[in-house]
Amino acid sequence: MFHFTNHVVLCCIFPASLGGWWSPMARAQETTLHFRADPTMIDVTFDRARVSPEDVKRWMQLADFVSRENGYQVPPSLGLCRRDDPRYVGCGTGQEFPDVHNAAVNLDDIRKNIAELDRKRFPTDLFPVVLYLRQIQYFALWANTQQLEFLEKGNVSALESVFQRIEPRMSCGMILDQTRGISDKVAAWNLVRHDWYNCVLREEMKQIGPYPHKAWQSFLSAHGIHEHVFQEEVN
């Protein structure tokens, strides 16, 4: 959520001789957008003469707190079911396994996130952040796809699939062996969605590291954008 606050500042250039005339510069239009990522609030101030509000809105989707909220940094899990979203079915019915229809919706959302994180849509100095978030989406697409295959076919080999530099048989071999030895489908699924997923996620995070704050701050500075992050006061 955001809205505009505009402040127009008129600046002038005086000649070195101070000969009694002046020339107006392009007027700086200071604009503030307000973003909410509960309980965090972000005020973003910029000059509309330099960057457009539409670009700032798109760029801010990559910000740390915002990208945690919009799915870029925390992609949907296979079993996510949003009751307020008509695309989902059977939310809140206490199902032991993810609904296949809902799983397809979540995989589709991850693919949409990947498409939105196309480098062509962003300035080159934002590429480190774009690629970081895009990598998170690629990992989520792989991990959820392998879980869905296991869920549908009961084949542990799906969980052994190699993703880039992650080799589950090397990193998570004990969990894979435990999964093979479980005959109870519910118990096996719980082991996969918790232990296996957390295991491969740890390996992924070791490789990509934390959110690239330095690149983000450098980008804001280069474009004259000022970000004020604060916590909303709760009465």
Side-chain angles (χ1 to χ4, degrees), residues 42-59:
I42 307 173
D43 287 351
V44 181
T45 303
F46 57 96
D47 180 2
R48 294 182 73 177
R50 291 185 61 183
V51 293
S52 72
E54 290 72 27
D55 282 340
V56 173
K57 292 174 195 175
R58 185 171 69 257
W59 299 340

Side-chain angles (χ1 to χ4, degrees), residues 87-211:
R87 297 178 302 163
Y88 292 93
V89 297
C91 296
T93 56
Q95 295 177 339
E96 294 177 328
F97 304 103
D99 181 272
V100 175
H101 169 83
N102 295 338
V105 171
N106 292 321
L107 289 173
D108 232 24
D109 281 349
I110 295 174
R111 295 187 187 97
K112 289 175 184 175
N113 288 344
I114 292 173
E116 290 171 2
L117 291 167
D118 187 339
R119 290 191 302 179
K120 296 176 183 177
R121 302 181 66 238
F122 302 96
T124 55
D125 47 352
L126 251 186
F127 282 4
V129 180
V130 174
L131 293 177
Y132 176 82
L133 297 174
R134 191 176 170 91
Q135 175 64 18
I136 289 175
Q137 300 297 318
Y138 276 128
F139 168 79
L141 182 61
W142 166 77
N144 284 329
T145 298
Q146 307 318 123
Q147 289 181 96
L148 182 59
E149 184 175 341
F150 171 79
L151 192 63
E152 292 182 318
K153 301 177 181 179
N155 195 343
V156 177
S157 63
L159 307 174
E160 298 175 330
S161 169
V162 175
F163 174 74
Q164 297 178 358
R165 291 177 291 173
I166 298 177
E167 298 185 36
R169 280 183 293 183
M170 299 292 293
S171 306
C172 313
M174 185 177 297
I175 297 170
L176 292 170
D177 290 341
Q178 289 176 337
T179 305
R180 287 190 185 90
I182 297 177
S183 57
D184 185 293
K185 291 184 178 180
V186 175
W189 170 242
N190 287 333
L191 188 66
V192 168
R193 72 188 182 102
H194 288 300
D195 296 53
W196 178 86
Y197 181 80
N198 287 330
C199 180
V200 292
L201 178 61
R202 280 194 299 271
E203 292 301 309
E204 173 69 4
M205 296 312 295
K206 285 180 189 176
Q207 296 179 23
I208 69 172
Y211 180 91

Side-chain angles (χ1 to χ4, degrees), residues 9-69:
V9 181
L10 178 64
C11 299
C12 307
I13 297 179
F14 291 89
S17 62
L18 295 178
W21 60 270
W22 56 275
S23 300
M25 292 175 61
R27 293 192 300 177
Q29 300 181 56
E30 187 178 84
T31 299
T32 299
L33 298 182
H34 306 284
F35 294 83
R36 179 191 298 272
D38 289 329
T40 302
M41 301 291 292
I42 307 173
D43 287 351
V44 181
T45 303
F46 57 96
D47 180 2
R48 294 182 73 177
R50 291 185 61 183
V51 293
S52 72
E54 290 72 27
D55 282 340
V56 173
K57 292 174 195 175
R58 185 171 69 257
W59 299 340
M60 281 302 298
Q61 298 308 305
L62 309 185
D64 187 9
F65 289 103
V66 179
S67 63
R68 296 181 200 179
E69 192 89 1

